[in-house]
Amino acid sequence: MKGKILILEDDIVLSEQIANVVKHYNYEVMQTVNSDQFFEVLRQFQPDVILLDVFLVGSKLNGIQVLQHLKNDMDLNYKVIVISGEVTSSQINEIRTLGAYHFIEKGSAFSINQLLLHIENAITLKRQEEEHIGLQIEYINLKKQFTRSFPFIGESNAIKKVREQIIRLASVDEDIFLIGETGTGKEVAANYYYIYSPRFGKPFHTVNCSALSETLIESELFGHIKGSFTSADRDKTGFFEECSNGILFLDEVTNLSLMSQSKILRAIENKEIQVVGGNLKKVDTRLIFASNAGLEKLSDESIFRKDLFYRIEGNIVELPPLRERDDDILLLICYFLTSFSSQYSVIDRLDLPALKDDLLNYSWPGNVRELRNFCKFIMINEQKINNNVIKKHLQQKINQFRFSKNYSSEKYTKIHNLKDSVASFERDYLLYYLSLNNWRISQTAEAIGLERTTLYKKIKSLGINHLKMED
């Protein structure tokens, strides 16, 4: 079937003639003679095109009133072709204002071929509009999916400024350079840029530059031709070409060699790439760079090319560390705990604002990533989560951090005998936690996850003076 036609016409003979013709051209047809019958059929039949008469004898509503009801109260996309005779110019204007697709006058000028043409065009337009609406819905759903997968959480002034910068650069379709400590959320920021870019919905790929060997960089980024080198057994399309008209996210870009950086600069400036073993190709690829190197390292020309740095210097966005985001830590921990709760454990009588000082007492060197893993660890290892549980695990984290700062691995790697090195580490480890727990054996054993008797044995075997210890 080419489409569905619903006829509202009180002239049964004319209605039957039109129905027979459109059926012949492979349309499905339903006929009605008054407004009550019409609305009864309409919802169930769901036509593509409605053929509507203006003057309906014996009907509660005339054609114009039906048209008004369709415009004001119905939520489906019907194309209405009005077929009538002896209407005034003001009525024709009203019919057009109410959104009718076309008006055809009855009488000697009436042509069934013209009607068929208008029906076909109306259905084509309807389907194009529905396809456009479908694409819009798909586009909106895709944005929602990205936003859920990479939520940019935070209300601190620092993070608000970052979001504003990203939206501004994305809206004008500029390359962007994201810098910040490890774990500050550069991937989240890159996806946030993508959501607000006019290129959203086009290809978007992430390349971890630290995972690319020097021999593979050109092939991966720019592609190669079959036979261009020993293992090139087929043509390969590089990421630049795959993301033409889209966005390529180069994470840890400072790990690329200066030579590779120069080729990326050429691709940016000339909008073309040199395929390995092949020809130059035009590309239109927007780039997001990211690095955990600070500005001082980026200005070091032995690490990052000055000409590339100057090319994107004005588009640098610096992501703040978690320790500088104040109350954001409460929003983030609430989000992570809630996200993991359905999968791992139950949240019980949690008062996060009361934990703010404790949470900010730790520097979180791994930033948001470390906080996320901290929340996941708690959810996996505890059946119920409350303030005391979080405080306990946070204190353990702080203790471990202090221990790792005070006792570097270098001290133990200098001891060439493995058994002696392990014993030296264990001794320092136990002394540290015994001191931290005021030399109480039971408390220390619980803090480090050992049985009390096991701890006693280790203290004795490692020659730790236990005179000042308490059970």
Side-chain angles (χ1 to χ4, degrees):
M1 286 290 173
K2 292 167 67 176
K4 292 181 174 183
I5 313 296
L6 177 58
I7 301 173
L8 175 52
E9 169 63 69
D10 64 337
D11 185 336
I12 297 174
V13 174
L14 177 61
S15 176
E16 194 68 35
Q17 288 174 344
I18 293 173
N20 288 335
V21 172
V22 294
K23 282 178 185 176
H24 177 74
Y25 284 91
N26 205 28
Y27 291 102
E28 186 178 350
V29 184
M30 291 286 286
Q31 295 167 251
T32 59
V33 295
N34 58 56
S35 59
D36 286 345
Q37 188 184 15
F38 171 81
F39 284 113
E40 188 178 327
V41 172
L42 180 67
R43 279 293 186 182
Q44 186 176 359
F45 187 56
Q46 294 189 10
D48 297 301
V49 173
I50 295 168
L51 302 182
L52 178 64
D53 187 16
V54 171
F55 301 104
L56 299 169
V57 178
S59 176
K60 285 183 181 178
L61 303 177
N62 63 35
I64 291 178
Q65 290 169 324
V66 168
L67 194 55
Q68 286 172 332
H69 189 66
L70 288 172
K71 180 181 180 181
N72 297 330
D73 302 323
M74 309 303 282
D75 56 359
L76 296 177
N77 180 23
Y78 307 117
K79 295 300 174 190
V80 181
I81 297 176
V82 177
I83 305 175
S84 193
E86 299 181 1
V87 293
T88 65
S89 58
S90 62
Q91 286 176 316
I92 292 174
N93 289 334
E94 187 176 4
I95 288 167
R96 287 170 177 162
T97 302
L98 289 171
Y101 172 75
H102 198 69
F103 173 79
I104 297 176
E105 192 173 353
K106 292 179 181 177
S108 59
F110 178 76
S111 166
I112 194 68
N113 290 328
Q114 284 293 315
L115 176 62
L116 288 168
L117 178 62
H118 290 310
I119 289 173
E120 185 176 347
N121 290 341
I123 291 176
T124 300
L125 177 62
K126 178 179 183 288
R127 289 176 179 166
Q128 286 175 346
E129 288 174 350
E130 288 172 346
E131 183 180 353
H132 181 66
I133 291 169
L135 289 173
Q136 284 185 319
I137 293 171
E138 186 179 336
Y139 179 85
I140 291 167
N141 288 337
L142 184 61
K143 275 201 171 186
K144 287 180 179 178
Q145 180 184 335
F146 262 80
T147 304
R148 284 195 299 269
S149 301
F150 300 93
F152 207 155
I153 296 166
E155 293 302 323
S156 63
N157 289 333
I159 216 67
K160 282 180 179 178
K161 181 182 176 183
V162 165
R163 282 201 293 257
E164 288 169 4
Q165 284 180 284
I166 291 173
I167 290 173
R168 185 169 62 253
L169 290 167
S171 63
V172 295
D173 199 25
E174 280 284 318
D175 296 325
I176 186 173
F177 200 146
L178 304 168
I179 64 172
E181 296 177 9
T182 298
T184 47
K186 292 184 284 293
E187 185 180 5
V188 169
N191 280 275
Y192 192 75
Y193 174 97
Y194 179 49
I195 288 169
Y196 284 93
S197 166
R199 296 169 185 253
F200 183 77
K202 301 292 177 61
F204 176 63
H205 286 301
T206 299
V207 177
N208 185 350
C209 297
S210 60
L212 293 177
S213 67
E214 189 62 32
T215 54
L216 288 177
I217 286 171
E218 284 190 61
S219 173
E220 291 294 320
L221 294 182
F222 308 125
H224 65 247
I225 299 299
K226 180 180 178 180
S228 55
F229 51 89
T230 306
S231 58
D233 55 355
R234 58 184 176 83
D235 290 351
K236 175 181 173 58
T237 303
F239 285 116
F240 264 86
E241 188 176 351
E242 280 188 11
C243 294
S244 191
N245 300 315
I247 296 173
L248 179 59
F249 176 29
L250 297 177
D251 198 8
E252 299 306 334
V253 67
T254 46
N255 288 333
L256 293 178
S257 69
L258 298 179
M259 179 62 73
S260 297
Q261 291 175 25
S262 71
K263 291 176 180 177
I264 288 173
L265 177 61
R266 177 180 177 177
I268 295 173
E269 293 189 329
N270 300 336
K271 292 188 179 297
E272 65 181 16
I273 55 171
Q274 176 68 62
V275 178
V276 178
N279 299 321
L280 291 171
K281 276 191 177 180
K282 286 290 182 183
V283 292
D284 179 20
T285 310
R286 184 59 59 230
L287 290 173
I288 302 175
F289 299 99
S291 175
N292 58 16
L295 284 171
E296 68 284 350
K297 282 192 176 180
L298 291 178
S299 58
D300 182 347
E301 56 187 315
S302 66
I303 296 174
F304 200 68
R305 288 186 64 97
K306 276 196 176 297
D307 45 8
L308 181 54
F309 178 76
Y310 293 143
R311 175 67 176 72
I312 55 175
E313 182 182 16
N315 297 349
I316 291 175
V317 176
E318 189 166 3
L319 296 171
L322 184 56
R323 61 184 174 273
E324 294 178 6
R325 292 177 57 179
D326 198 41
D327 282 356
D328 282 356
I329 196 167
L330 299 179
L331 296 175
L332 287 161
I333 198 170
C334 179
Y335 170 76
F336 292 137
L337 290 175
T338 304
S339 298
F340 293 130
S341 62
S342 60
Q343 186 176 358
Y344 295 115
S345 56
V346 176
I347 297 174
D348 179 43
R349 295 189 300 278
L350 197 60
D351 180 14
L352 287 176
L355 293 174
K356 179 181 174 182
D357 290 341
D358 297 284
L359 290 166
L360 293 177
N361 191 41
Y362 178 58
S363 63
W364 299 99
N367 293 292
V368 178
R369 184 185 293 123
E370 184 182 6
L371 180 65
R372 180 186 183 278
N373 292 336
F374 171 72
C375 293
K376 187 175 182 179
F377 177 83
I378 295 174
M379 298 300 278
I380 291 172
N381 290 282
E382 299 286 352
Q383 290 187 342
K384 287 191 176 182
I385 311 299
N386 54 39
N387 280 31
N388 290 333
V389 168
I390 293 176
K391 274 188 175 183
K392 179 186 76 173
H393 285 277
L394 185 60
Q395 189 57 52
Q396 289 176 0
K397 175 174 274 295
I398 291 170
N399 293 343
Q400 289 165 4
F401 178 69
R402 288 173 181 166
F403 177 80
S404 65
K405 284 184 69 178
N406 294 334
Y407 301 94
S408 69
S409 61
E410 186 179 355
K411 172 182 177 180
Y412 309 110
T413 55
K414 285 181 178 179
I415 302 172
H416 298 294
N417 182 283
L418 177 61
K419 185 177 179 181
D420 292 342
S421 178
V422 171
S424 176
F425 172 80
E426 283 193 336
R427 192 173 193 281
D428 287 343
Y429 183 89
L430 293 181
L431 282 170
Y432 177 82
Y433 279 98
L434 284 165
S435 174
L436 201 65
N437 289 281
N438 297 315
W439 301 92
R440 292 187 176 90
I441 298 293
S442 297
Q443 188 174 320
T444 304
E446 183 182 356
I448 64 176
L450 286 180
E451 293 292 332
R452 184 173 54 81
T453 53
T454 304
L455 179 56
Y456 262 124
K457 289 177 183 177
K458 283 191 173 291
I459 288 170
K460 186 176 179 181
S461 67
L462 293 168
I464 296 173
N465 184 352
H466 57 277
L467 295 177
K468 57 182 175 180
M469 297 179 196
E470 299 177 18
D471 196 355

